[in-house]
Amino acid sequence: MIQIHLIAAARPNFMKVAPLYHALRATDWAEPKLVHTGQHYDHNMSNAILQDLRVPEPDFHLGVGSGSHAEQTGGVMIAYEKVCLENRPDWIVVVGDVNSTAACAMVGTKLWIPVIHLEAGLRSGDRKMPEEINRLVTDSIADVLWTPSPDADENLLAEGVDADKIDRIGNIMIDSFEMLREGIECANTAAELDLESGQYALVTVHRPSNVDAAESLTPIVDALVQAAGSLPVVFVAHPRTINGLEKFSLKEKLADNSNIKLLEPVPYMRFMSLVTGARVVITDSGGLQEETTYLGIPCLTLRDNTERPVTVSMGTNKLVNARSLAENLQTVLDGKWHKGTRPPLWDGKTAERAVEFLAQRSQQQ
Ligand code: UD1
């Protein structure tokens, strides 16, 4: 049996790892092992999501937790190297762009274990984002680069990556959505919140550049309060965002507004139910830019750049800021938002293509 480590660390990783885990489990030649680095540890940021995705308890839990970038990255490297020395896998699959992605890629390549990066090649061009550094480090050392869209292939080729290493397999997060579509459709989270489907804005904001300083978070909160004058707003707040709201005394502005519902993180199916019922999504999340494009829901992204430009060029996404939010929201409410189409290979079959790739490579070895 081929041993494959799947590395999951933070909330957005779980949705990318789960379809591959299930697809590998269904083969008679591969044994996937889930490695949870513990970067996200709150129940709603981790276990509740894994349960939704029907993934069993991780085979290895590194329990790294919070810390500075160096503490998290170093902690994961030290702990994961021990795991690899005692339980050497045939392949390591790292996903996304979090600190654990780069950390485990470095451990694997230094031990000469082939590393695959799932969701490779995305670039925002903004080296102030910690995620961009993680993407650059991971892509420059991984042995195989599984990309979601043509722009990712182009970025890698422009950086001098050998074309043989690049394999465009599609967007695996769509697999998770399709796998759980029935449960998502039954969840009806909006009704639990006394909201009508199609009649509210869903908000998530957690990028350090938006929430770690009062100068950036205050205008966003003010713009959301203004938006709540036009339609109900559901704000699902990441722990990092709650910290910022409390630190800068902004939480009451949201919590005291009767047209704003401020919620803690919500597990995957209940959250995706909220997404599917939203009139518009306001976010700085990478995953949501993709999910809204797939679902054809208008998405206003509170960022200066995106590593997912295909969601703007083909999909329903647009980059905005706190100042231009109201005007763009009005365009949505007037029914004048661009329709968008689904990028190729965002079809719920990405895990199948990944397994096919691994089957072929394993036969060659
Ligand atoms: C991380 C990723 C980011 C990803 C995001 C998704 C990096 C550099 N960033 O950012 O790419 O989009 O996850 O959510 O890897 N915290 C909790 N409970 C938790 C997890 C975190 O309270 O379960 C708190 C931490 O103590 C810290 C803050 O949230 O104060 C930030 O957590 P951290 O994992 O450092 O980064 P994220 O902002 O979540």
Side-chain angles (χ1 to χ4, degrees):
M1 288 286 247
I2 304 278
Q3 301 270 327
I4 303 171
H5 281 186
L6 305 179
I7 314 290
R11 184 171 56 177
N13 295 161
F14 304 133
M15 296 71 131
K16 294 167 194 162
V17 155
L20 186 53
Y21 180 87
H22 292 300
L24 287 168
R25 274 305 285 265
T27 71
D28 57 5
W29 51 268
E31 198 174 2
K33 300 268 185 198
L34 189 66
V35 181
H36 188 335
T37 68
Q39 186 176 335
H40 282 178
Y41 43 86
D42 284 356
H43 182 72
N44 280 347
M45 298 289 283
S46 172
N47 289 9
I49 298 177
L50 289 171
Q51 279 162 14
D52 268 10
L53 295 162
R54 302 180 196 139
V55 173
E57 284 289 302
D59 297 278
F60 303 100
H61 203 299
L62 308 184
V64 168
S66 298
S68 70
H69 285 284
E71 282 165 347
Q72 257 181 354
T73 310
V76 171
M77 286 187 74
I78 293 166
Y80 187 52
E81 187 182 53
K82 288 199 183 98
V83 170
C84 285
L85 291 173
E86 283 164 23
N87 307 271
R88 189 179 173 93
D90 298 290
W91 291 94
I92 296 170
V93 179
V94 296
V95 304
D97 55 18
V98 300
N99 288 335
S100 304
T101 310
C104 293
M106 280 194 276
V107 169
T109 47
K110 288 188 177 185
L111 293 174
W112 296 10
I113 301 166
V115 172
I116 302 180
H117 185 201
L118 173 52
E119 198 186 79
L122 300 187
R123 297 288 181 271
S124 66
D126 177 1
R127 291 199 179 193
K128 290 208 171 104
M129 283 180 82
E131 295 85 354
E132 184 78 350
I133 306 302
N134 293 333
R135 293 180 199 117
L136 286 161
V137 168
T138 307
D139 286 343
S140 67
I141 58 176
D143 300 275
V144 176
L145 299 155
W146 277 342
T147 58
S149 47
D151 54 289
D153 298 23
E154 285 159 24
N155 291 333
L156 293 169
L157 292 171
E159 286 168 16
V161 171
D162 187 345
D164 289 347
K165 284 185 165 185
I166 304 170
D167 182 31
R168 195 182 325 144
I169 63 164
N171 187 334
I172 200 151
M173 267 208 330
I174 306 304
D175 291 32
S176 279
F177 181 82
E178 288 302 336
M179 180 175 90
L180 297 176
R181 183 186 271 276
E182 220 174 294
I184 292 167
E185 281 167 359
C186 290
N188 209 356
T189 317
E192 282 171 33
L193 298 168
D194 283 330
L195 293 169
E196 247 179 86
S197 187
Q199 303 298 332
Y200 59 89
L202 175 66
V203 178
T204 81
V205 195
H206 74 276
R207 293 257 94 80
S209 57
N210 278 334
V211 305
D212 285 1
E215 305 83 72
S216 44
L217 191 53
T218 308
I220 291 175
V221 167
D222 289 341
L224 294 175
V225 169
Q226 193 190 342
S230 306
L231 80 173
V233 169
V234 184
F235 189 141
V236 182
H238 187 284
R240 176 176 215 112
T241 313
I242 297 285
N243 288 345
L245 291 171
E246 285 173 353
K247 192 157 132 203
F248 311 129
S249 309
L250 294 166
K251 200 171 162 190
E252 286 68 33
K253 273 198 193 179
L254 298 170
D256 294 349
N257 187 310
S258 60
N259 224 16
I260 298 180
K261 294 185 194 290
L262 184 60
L263 308 182
E264 292 192 347
V266 177
Y268 180 73
M269 283 201 279
R270 293 186 57 229
F271 181 75
M272 287 314 297
S273 159
L274 272 179
V275 176
T276 54
R279 176 83 183 264
V280 57
V281 170
I282 301 169
T283 192
D284 60 9
S285 144
L288 267 177
Q289 294 175 55
E290 297 178 341
E291 286 155 340
T292 47
T293 275
Y294 184 67
L295 296 167
I297 295 168
C299 182
L300 311 183
T301 295
L302 283 162
R303 285 178 48 184
D304 299 336
N305 49 54
T306 177
E307 62 288 334
R308 292 161 164 93
V310 74
T311 59
V312 177
S313 59
M314 292 189 74
T316 52
N317 190 20
K318 184 174 173 190
L319 302 181
V320 302
N321 56 38
R323 279 188 317 283
S324 65
L325 187 71
E327 182 194 325
N328 281 290
L329 184 60
Q330 197 52 51
T331 309
V332 173
L333 297 179
D334 291 343
K336 293 185 180 150
W337 201 253
H338 53 283
K339 289 276 175 286
T341 51
R342 288 177 177 170
L345 303 183
W346 293 26
D347 56 2
K349 298 195 169 88
T350 294
E352 272 175 40
R353 287 186 283 272
V355 170
E356 214 172 286
F357 174 97
L358 283 166
Q360 278 176 10
R361 283 294 178 97
S362 303
Q363 273 168 8
Q364 286 163 13
Q365 276 173 0

